[in-house]
């Protein structure tokens, strides 16, 4: 019963946060986006009509033509639902409801590879690529970090430990996108080992596409893993050092349990809840991709889509992406909480 | 959470060598900031985005120290602005001499040179003569020209002019020099002045075929002035080289050392102001929420959840695009996302401390809630706030750099991120202009490293289980 109540409360909480996020996005974008969009529509309609010589010929009076243009512009504006100001409750409410049900409408400018302007299709097209690159990178980073962190914790204070800690501090303070720039400079242009642009030059339908994608993915993946595992190792090491000082570890040692089993069987098991939580959050973070990293490596994922949409002020795409990344984040926090409960009986609810 | 007063925190902290190294790094960054403010003219920094200000500088020149690494001895770009000035007179004619002396120990010829000057004269036009004196004692006349005449009886006014190495009149003079001294008849079109002036004497010196003559050179400009009011206002000589300064120049001829040195105080003030203000706001928010409890606590924590769940970078970009990107705004946006974490920690600490019996005792003694908060709860949180500040400074510096890298920086205040943005925009990676991308990023990395090291050491000093390991 308590579990059910907890779940309902969490779901309501999440819905409220999502609603606020959508409204905030609208509030920030609304005023400037509406003005820009209306101007663009007017210009587009005007040139369209003026280029149609036959139509222009029908009007004898320039004033009449002007009236016609204005009525056409007005028609298009109202058909796009831009008649009301952005803060009108009607517009906000319809948008909020539609967004919450994953209906993001049509994009203004950005098109998918098939030419689709449906925002959901466009997002779903980029999502797998981001998950592929950032998901793989996150998993490799975490595994490498956990192994190295555990090894450092076992020999806390040793040379290995000091090197790991130093590397963690250094790699944590280097901006990933800057290292990416240097990696491209070195490996793509100077040594010519990897391609500079991460987007394969062949269409996705080509059978050689997956292999090309993997080859193009190598440089960003290597950069991310080598810059990322230090932070993980640092965190895991600190958690494990704490656990290794517990009495029961001393008991296990006194009993003669092999050191490897103490480390991975006992200590890592105890440190697991926060590590799993971190992993869930990192994986969810990888869904949003990293805008700057994707921009540097020219990786065709969600981050770059976000960046393009912001540059073009393509409001439906921005709203859709903001919603999706917030949703994924909240779901993974939720899952991390439940996992924490499963792994750590002390805080199990209900 | 054990209380650890600031004094004993320092005692614990100074046992960590990495923490002390972090402090030393921070101190050197502060010294660098002071140096930048004192030595690099603010004017140059303010003119960062004005291309005409940088016209005297070389385009995309690597730093001068690459000569030591490659052993190539490429000529350094020289901007000489302080000539030795000498005044004399021949009858009624004032003769002012500006002499520029410089060493030229390089193994390649300069790209070009330009002599700029500014005169003040009235009705009678002055005469300018430029010559070069070489290490081998040979003196070459480069140019002799009269300034344009002015109408009779006009007031003395300023006039700016320049002599370029590409001027045809220079080639003619050098061809005459060859004919008179070496008896070589050469067409002026076959002469390249920037090479011949710096070449060893010999039959093929016209195009530098004899190699570079290393040594001390002097370029001398003589101004013959006829009016009483006439004077030389200033002059400068630029020898166009292939390498420049400590950090090189970018594609837009900007001296990168100006942007990189000035970037230090800017980045530090962004990082520190964002971190300190976020920590103060978060601390106050969390303590009030936790201490007050009840509905207010619930409301404040829900608000905190929202701020925590909002994707930060996209919202930063949206805010910068729609509200403006002045540096103060950017700092405000970063604070908007910076207070969330510490608020949560402060709240749980406040909840714990509030439940302690001595707080109950203080309350029974009639202490106001403000007194309890500021005398008993906040002091215990200060060490954690310091650790939090140390770790959020690099986050703020890197966030601002990221925004600037995406092209959303304040155009009036160039930062390291903006230099990297320009490097990316002009294809620095593809064109091998490594110094353009390397040094600003290195400065970013060093500044955040200083705070990360301090933060890690504080982290260990504060956590009793980590102490001494």
């Amino acid at each position: 019963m308590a579990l059910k109540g907890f779940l309902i409360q969490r779901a309501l909480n999440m819905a409220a946060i999502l609603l606020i996020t959508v409204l905030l996005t609208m509030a920030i974008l609304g005023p400037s986006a509406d003005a820009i969009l209306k101007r663009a529509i007017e210009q587009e309609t005007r040139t369209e009509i003026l280029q149609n010589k036959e139509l222009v010929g029908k009007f004898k009076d320039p004033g009449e033509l002007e009236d016609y243009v204005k009525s056409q512009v007005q028609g298009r504006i109202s058909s796009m639902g831009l008649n009301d100001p952005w803060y009108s409750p009607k517009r906000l409410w319809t948008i909020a409801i539609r967004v919450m049900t994953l209906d993001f409408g049509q994009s203004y400018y950005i098109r998918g590879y098939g030419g689709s302007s449906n925002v959901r299709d466009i997002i779903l097209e980029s999502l797998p690529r981001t998950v592929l690159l950032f998901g793989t990178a996150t998993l490799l980073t975490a595994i490498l970090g956990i192994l190295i962190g555990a090894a450092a914790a076992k020999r806390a204070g040793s040379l290995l430990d000091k090197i790991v800690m130093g590397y963690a501090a250094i790699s944590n303070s280097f901006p990933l996108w800057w290292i990416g720039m240097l990696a491209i400079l070195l490996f793509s242009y100077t040594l010519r080992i990897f391609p500079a642009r991460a987007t394969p030059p062949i269409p996705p339908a080509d059978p050689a596409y997956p292999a090309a994608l993997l080859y193009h993915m190598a440089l960003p993946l290597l950069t991310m893993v080598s810059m990322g595992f230090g932070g993980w190792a640092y965190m895991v090491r600190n958690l494990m050092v704490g656990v290794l000082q517990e009495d029961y570890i001393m008991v296990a040692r006194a009993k003669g349990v092999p050191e490897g089993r103490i480390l991975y069987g006992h200590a890592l098991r105890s440190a697991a809840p926060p590590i799993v939580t971190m992993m869930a959050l990192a994986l969810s973070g990888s869904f949003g991709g990293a805008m700057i990293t994707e921009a540097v490596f020219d990786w065709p994922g969600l981050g770059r889509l976000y960046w393009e949409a912001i540059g073009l002020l393509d409001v439906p795409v921005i709203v859709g992406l903001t919603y999706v990344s917030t949703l994924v984040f909240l779901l993974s926090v939720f899952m991390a909480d439940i996992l924490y409960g499963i792994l750590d009986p002390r805080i199990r609810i209900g | 959470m054990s209380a650890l007063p600031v004094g004993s925190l320092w005692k614990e902290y100074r046992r960590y060598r990495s923490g002390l190294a972090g402090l030393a790094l921070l101190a050197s960054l502060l010294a660098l900031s002071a140096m930048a403010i004192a030595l690099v003219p603010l004017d140059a920094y303010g003119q960062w985005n004005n291309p005409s200000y940088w016209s005297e500088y070389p385009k995309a020149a690597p730093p001068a120290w690459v000569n030591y690494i490659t052993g190539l001895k490429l000529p350094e770009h020289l901007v000489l602005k302080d000539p030795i000035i000498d005044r004399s007179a021949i009858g009624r004619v004032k003769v002012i001499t500006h002499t520029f002396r410089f060493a030229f120990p390089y193994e390649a010829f300069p790209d070009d040179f330009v002599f700029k000057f500014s005169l003040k004269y009235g009705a009678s036009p002055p005469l300018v003569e430029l010559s070069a004196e070489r290490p081998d004692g040979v003196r070459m006349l480069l140019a002799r020209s009269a300034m344009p005449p002015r109408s009779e009886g006009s007031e003395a006014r300023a006039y700016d002019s320049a002599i370029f190495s590409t001027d045809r009149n220079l080639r003619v003079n050098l061809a005459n020099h060859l004919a008179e001294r070496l008896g070589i008849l050469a067409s002026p079109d076959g002469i390249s002045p920037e090479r011949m002036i710096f070449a060893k004497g010999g039959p093929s010196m016209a195009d530098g075929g004899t190699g570079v003559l290393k040594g001390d050179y002097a370029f001398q400009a003589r101004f013959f002035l006829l009016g009483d009011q006439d004077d030389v206002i200033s002059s400068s000589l630029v020898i166009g080289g292939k390498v420049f300064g400590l950090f090189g120049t970018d594609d837009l001829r900007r001296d990168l050392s100006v942007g990189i040195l000035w970037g230090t105080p800017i980045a530090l003030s962004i990082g520190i102001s964002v971190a300190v203000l976020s920590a103060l706001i978060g601390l106050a928010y969390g303590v009030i929420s936790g201490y007050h409890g009840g509905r207010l606590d619930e409301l404040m924590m829900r608000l905190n959840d929202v701020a925590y769940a909002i994707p930060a970078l996209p919202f930063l970009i949206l805010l910068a695009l729609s509200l403006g990107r002045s540096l103060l705004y950017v700092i405000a946006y970063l604070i908007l996302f910076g207070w969330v974490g510490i608020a949560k920690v402060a709240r749980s600490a406040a909840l714990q401390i509030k439940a302690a019996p001595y707080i109950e005792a203080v309350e029974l003694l009639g202490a106001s809630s403000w007194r309890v908060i500021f005398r008993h709860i906040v002091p215990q949180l200060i060490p954690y706030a310091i650790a939090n500040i140390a770790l959020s400074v690099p986050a703020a510096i890197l966030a601002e750099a990221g925004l600037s890298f995406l092209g959303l920086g304040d155009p009036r205040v160039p930062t390291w991120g903006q230099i990297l943005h320009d490097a990316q925009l002009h294809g620095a990676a593809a064109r091998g202009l490594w110094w353009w991308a390397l040094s600003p990023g290195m400065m970013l990395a060093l500044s955040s490293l200083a705070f990360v090291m301090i933060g890690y050491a504080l982290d260990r000093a504060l956590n009793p289980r980590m102490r001494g390991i």
Side-chain angles (χ1 to χ4, degrees):
Chain A
M1 203 51 215
L3 179 64
K4 206 169 161 192
F6 170 77
L7 287 179
I8 291 171
Q9 199 213 336
R10 287 300 293 262
L12 285 176
N13 243 331
M14 270 164 57
I17 292 175
L18 281 168
L19 184 65
I20 293 174
T21 315
V22 172
L23 292 180
L24 266 179
T25 321
M26 291 301 298
I28 294 175
L29 284 174
S32 44
D34 270 13
I36 289 170
L37 197 61
K38 278 184 186 159
R39 221 175 305 135
I41 290 172
E42 196 186 326
Q43 232 161 33
E44 207 176 286
T45 320
R46 193 173 289 276
T47 39
E48 227 171 79
I49 291 172
L50 291 181
Q51 270 168 0
N52 189 343
K53 292 262 156 57
E54 206 180 313
L55 188 66
V56 174
K58 282 184 191 162
F59 296 98
K60 292 184 183 70
D61 182 12
E64 241 177 84
L65 179 64
E66 189 57 35
D67 285 345
Y68 176 72
V69 171
K70 278 202 177 127
S71 73
Q72 284 292 310
V73 170
Q74 201 46 52
R76 287 196 194 185
I77 286 178
S78 47
S79 77
M80 286 183 82
L82 295 174
N83 247 346
D84 303 319
W86 67 271
Y87 49 82
S88 78
K90 193 178 125 218
R91 241 181 101 188
L92 279 185
W93 191 243
T94 33
I95 290 176
I97 292 288
R98 276 174 42 201
V99 167
M100 303 276 279
T101 52
L102 298 177
D103 172 13
F104 306 126
Q106 309 291 314
S107 65
Y108 293 161
Y109 312 103
I110 293 179
R111 297 287 174 266
Y113 286 89
S116 162
S117 67
N118 184 307
V119 174
R120 190 168 41 188
D121 290 351
I122 296 174
I123 291 178
L124 284 177
E125 236 171 44
S126 303
L127 183 70
R129 297 203 199 90
T130 288
V131 173
L132 177 67
L133 175 59
F134 287 84
T136 318
T138 309
L139 272 180
L140 287 179
T141 306
I143 292 170
L144 204 60
I146 290 170
L147 291 179
I148 293 175
K154 190 179 155 201
R155 286 172 281 271
S158 70
L159 183 66
L160 171 82
D161 186 34
K162 284 193 175 118
I163 291 173
V164 170
M165 300 283 273
Y167 183 74
I170 289 171
S171 61
N172 253 3
S173 37
F174 281 33
L176 178 63
W177 42 272
W178 174 62
I179 297 291
M181 272 175 93
L182 294 186
I184 291 173
L185 201 158
L186 183 64
F187 293 108
S188 302
Y189 289 107
T190 312
L191 302 176
R192 296 178 185 277
I193 299 174
F194 294 112
R197 293 185 74 227
T199 319
I202 48 178
D206 198 294
Y209 189 78
L213 196 67
L214 284 178
Y215 174 54
H216 282 76
M217 176 173 137
L219 188 59
L221 188 65
L222 284 175
T223 313
M224 279 193 261
V225 172
S226 56
M227 293 314 289
F229 79 86
W232 273 91
Y234 176 80
M235 188 201 69
V236 171
R237 178 255 184 216
N238 280 358
L239 282 170
M240 297 268 287
V241 164
V243 174
L244 285 172
Q245 289 172 22
E246 296 280 359
D247 292 341
Y248 71 87
I249 297 285
M250 208 196 289
V251 171
R253 282 212 177 103
K255 278 200 309 191
V257 177
E259 198 58 30
R261 228 179 115 200
I262 290 179
L263 195 64
Y264 295 105
H266 293 75
L268 194 57
R269 172 79 178 75
S270 299
I275 294 175
V276 169
T277 313
M278 282 290 296
M279 191 105 118
L281 291 183
L283 275 176
S284 90
S286 73
F287 270 87
M291 210 181 276
I292 310 179
T293 312
E294 286 195 4
V296 167
F297 287 106
D298 203 16
W299 183 257
L302 288 181
R304 215 188 61 178
L305 183 64
Y306 222 139
W307 172 233
E308 261 172 50
I310 285 172
L312 293 166
L313 226 65
D314 199 326
V315 179
V317 182
I318 299 176
V319 172
L321 283 169
T322 312
Y323 182 77
V324 169
S325 49
T326 316
L327 179 69
V328 170
F329 176 75
L330 290 175
L331 283 177
S332 54
V333 171
F334 181 60
M335 270 169 11
D337 276 3
I338 290 181
L339 273 175
Y340 208 115
I342 292 170
L343 289 165
D344 189 347
R346 281 173 301 182
I347 64 150
R348 197 166 289 164
I349 25 87
Chain B
M1 196 172 276
S2 65
L4 192 62
V6 177
S8 67
L9 175 65
W10 166 243
K11 233 182 195 167
E12 189 59 43
Y13 178 89
R14 67 180 180 197
R15 291 175 42 215
Y16 298 100
R17 248 182 297 165
S18 62
L20 294 180
L23 279 181
L25 192 53
L26 177 60
S28 41
L29 286 168
L30 288 173
L32 199 63
S33 306
M35 230 175 75
I37 294 168
L39 298 179
V40 183
L42 184 59
D43 183 42
Y45 179 65
Q47 301 285 336
W48 186 253
N49 288 316
N50 171 15
S52 63
Y53 182 88
W54 303 98
S55 61
E56 286 176 352
Y57 292 83
K59 193 174 159 143
W65 46 263
V66 292
N67 276 343
Y68 296 104
I69 295 171
T70 56
L72 274 179
K73 295 226 99 190
L74 294 170
E76 204 168 322
H77 186 92
L78 300 170
V79 180
L80 306 167
K81 289 193 166 165
D82 293 309
I84 305 160
I85 301 173
D86 181 68
R87 291 165 189 274
S88 63
I90 309 171
R92 277 188 55 243
V93 182
K94 266 198 285 188
V95 182
I96 298 177
T97 317
H98 282 198
T99 309
F100 297 90
R101 295 187 183 280
F102 57 91
F104 197 82
Y106 309 109
E107 273 156 14
F109 293 106
D111 280 357
D112 53 10
F113 61 82
V114 54
F115 173 67
K116 287 187 183 175
F117 55 93
S118 177
L119 303 175
K120 192 175 77 170
Y121 67 94
S124 29
L127 193 74
V128 181
E129 189 188 276
L130 182 68
S131 57
E133 204 182 298
R134 294 152 38 100
D136 57 6
V138 175
R139 195 182 180 84
M140 291 177 176
L141 175 72
L142 303 180
R144 183 183 287 142
S145 59
M147 297 297 104
R150 281 175 173 162
S151 56
E152 200 61 38
S154 58
E155 286 284 300
R157 274 184 291 123
Y159 178 77
D160 294 338
S161 185
I163 296 170
F164 294 93
S165 55
T166 47
D167 288 354
R168 181 163 167 87
N169 138 24
L170 252 74
R171 299 182 189 197
V172 174
N173 285 326
L174 289 170
N176 289 341
H177 177 92
L178 278 178
E180 281 163 24
R181 282 193 61 102
L182 298 168
I184 299 169
L185 288 178
S187 147
D189 297 324
I191 289 172
S192 101
E194 69 277 4
R195 287 171 167 254
M196 181 174 147
I197 297 166
F198 293 92
K200 284 180 189 145
S204 61
M205 74 187 293
D207 61 355
T210 47
V212 182
L213 176 69
K214 298 182 197 172
D216 294 325
Y217 285 79
F219 274 53
Q220 195 174 61
R222 290 208 286 173
F223 301 90
F224 300 92
L225 305 162
L226 303 163
D228 294 339
Q229 307 280 308
D230 299 4
D231 204 358
V232 181
I233 300 167
S234 67
S235 78
S236 67
L237 177 69
V238 176
I239 308 283
K242 290 183 165 51
V243 296
F244 181 81
L246 196 56
F247 294 99
T249 60
D250 66 11
D251 218 24
L252 308 167
R253 298 176 184 275
R254 294 181 293 209
D255 178 0
L256 283 174
S257 66
V258 171
I260 284 168
L261 289 178
W262 263 100
T264 320
I266 304 284
L268 289 182
S269 33
I270 293 173
I272 292 172
S273 57
V274 169
V276 170
L277 289 173
S278 312
L280 288 180
I281 293 173
L283 204 63
Y285 191 93
V287 169
I288 290 173
S289 173
Y291 184 74
H292 196 282
R295 281 234 171 133
L296 182 71
D297 180 37
E298 183 67 24
L299 185 74
M300 285 173 91
M301 279 303 112
R302 289 293 81 79
L303 200 66
N304 188 284
D305 284 348
V306 174
Y308 185 61
I310 288 175
L313 187 61
F315 265 81
L316 282 175
I317 294 174
L318 289 180
L319 285 170
L321 277 175
S322 57
L323 295 186
R325 39 169 109 164
S326 119
L327 191 59
L328 286 180
Y329 279 27
V330 171
I331 289 175
Y333 304 150
L334 290 173
I335 292 173
L336 223 50
F337 290 95
W339 61 274
V340 184
I342 188 167
K344 261 203 151 98
V345 177
R347 173 182 174 266
S348 59
L351 280 179
Q352 256 179 38
I353 298 168
K354 191 174 82 166
Y358 73 90
I359 296 289
E360 207 177 327
V362 174
E363 276 171 339
L364 280 175
L365 282 172
S368 70
S369 43
W370 289 114
R371 192 180 159 83
V372 174
I373 287 177
F374 285 106
R375 285 297 303 250
H376 299 283
I377 299 181
V378 170
Q380 294 197 50
L381 286 169
I382 282 179
Y384 297 90
I386 295 174
N388 182 281
I389 287 170
L391 286 173
S392 33
V393 170
I397 292 178
L398 294 185
E400 190 282 330
L403 267 185
S404 291
F405 181 72
L406 291 174
L408 294 166
D410 186 341
R412 291 165 307 159
V413 190
T415 58
W416 296 325
Q418 287 179 47
I419 298 178
L420 287 170
H421 167 77
D422 291 337
Q424 178 81 353
L425 200 68
H426 290 85
R431 294 165 53 201
L433 312 177
W434 51 268
W435 60 93
W436 197 355
L438 190 68
S439 36
M442 206 64 210
M443 291 303 293
L444 268 178
L446 284 179
S447 341
S448 40
L449 185 63
F451 288 98
V452 167
M453 291 205 299
I454 294 171
Y456 277 13
L458 277 173
D459 224 19
R460 283 193 281 168
L462 285 171
N463 189 340
R465 278 184 159 169
M466 299 292 154
R467 268 182 217 163
I469 293 173

